[in-house]
Amino acid sequence: MPDKRLTTGHVSFWNQRLVEWSMLALVIVLLLGVLAYKVRELHAQAELAAVRSTLGNLRTAFVLDHLRRSVPSGAGAAVQNNPFELLEHRQPNYFGEASAAQALAAPAGSWVFDAACVCVGYLPLGTEWLQSPTGDVMAWYQISGAPGPLQLTAREAYVWQGQVMN
């Protein structure tokens, strides 16, 4: 007849190991969850940097276009309404001309130009990072500023991860 103390100790040992491995698995799952959140947060910061870079490129294109038109030349320079046409290299995520309603059908992470309001819009990859006072899911920038270089001005006070977008 087997000794009961030996059998009970053996089961207790395996129960203890099971608890230890379960705790280790829980810690690993929690760490992976934190890592996934931080990766998404970093991705959102990279997207914000790309948005700011594009806005800077468009603003620079406005200044260069203004300078080009102010220099006397034989041919009159046509005024370009769509600022993406002023860029030397078109944005790979430029969707095209679209109204505000059509812009919502654009792929996430796309830029659009709305000729009716003369503004550019950006549809973020993740809408959870962009806060708008009116709840708009897109960031819109109005084009204005004649007679000098044209300007891009945010239509609302957009906030991206606690940072003001302008």
Side-chain angles (χ1 to χ4, degrees):
M1 184 162 171
D3 187 4
K4 284 189 173 194
R5 288 180 299 159
L6 187 58
T7 307
T8 305
H10 185 68
V11 170
S12 174
F13 171 77
W14 288 111
N15 283 342
Q16 183 180 358
R17 289 290 176 211
L18 182 63
V19 169
E20 289 173 355
W21 282 106
S22 298
M23 295 294 284
L24 180 62
L26 179 65
V27 167
I28 290 172
V29 166
L30 288 174
L31 287 174
L32 288 174
V34 169
L35 177 66
Y37 177 78
K38 290 297 183 181
V39 166
R40 283 179 33 82
E41 194 173 84
L42 182 62
H43 187 258
Q45 290 174 357
E47 185 178 0
L48 175 60
V51 168
R52 286 182 170 164
S53 175
T54 299
L55 291 171
N57 289 342
L58 293 174
R59 289 176 174 136
T60 301
F62 283 148
V63 171
L64 293 175
D65 183 58
H66 173 71
L67 291 173
R68 187 173 30 252
R69 283 187 283 121
S70 63
V71 172
S73 66
V79 176
Q80 182 56 255
N81 286 336
N82 186 341
F84 291 98
E85 298 296 330
L86 297 173
L87 298 174
E88 186 174 327
H89 301 287
R90 185 171 288 172
Q91 290 292 118
N93 58 343
Y94 174 61
F95 181 70
E97 291 193 28
S99 68
Q102 294 168 331
L104 294 175
S110 294
W111 286 93
V112 297
F113 173 70
D114 186 349
C117 77
V118 190
C119 54
V120 297
Y122 179 73
L123 182 62
L125 290 170
T127 57
E128 68 272 11
W129 301 113
L130 176 68
Q131 289 91 38
S132 163
T134 61
D136 198 352
V137 296
M138 289 188 72
W140 289 97
Y141 295 87
Q142 190 71 48
I143 299 171
S144 61
L150 296 177
Q151 303 291 317
L152 279 176
T153 310
R155 289 189 3 199
E156 299 180 32
Y158 300 110
V159 176
W160 187 289
Q161 286 187 306
Q163 297 180 42
V164 176
M165 287 179 56
N166 54 10

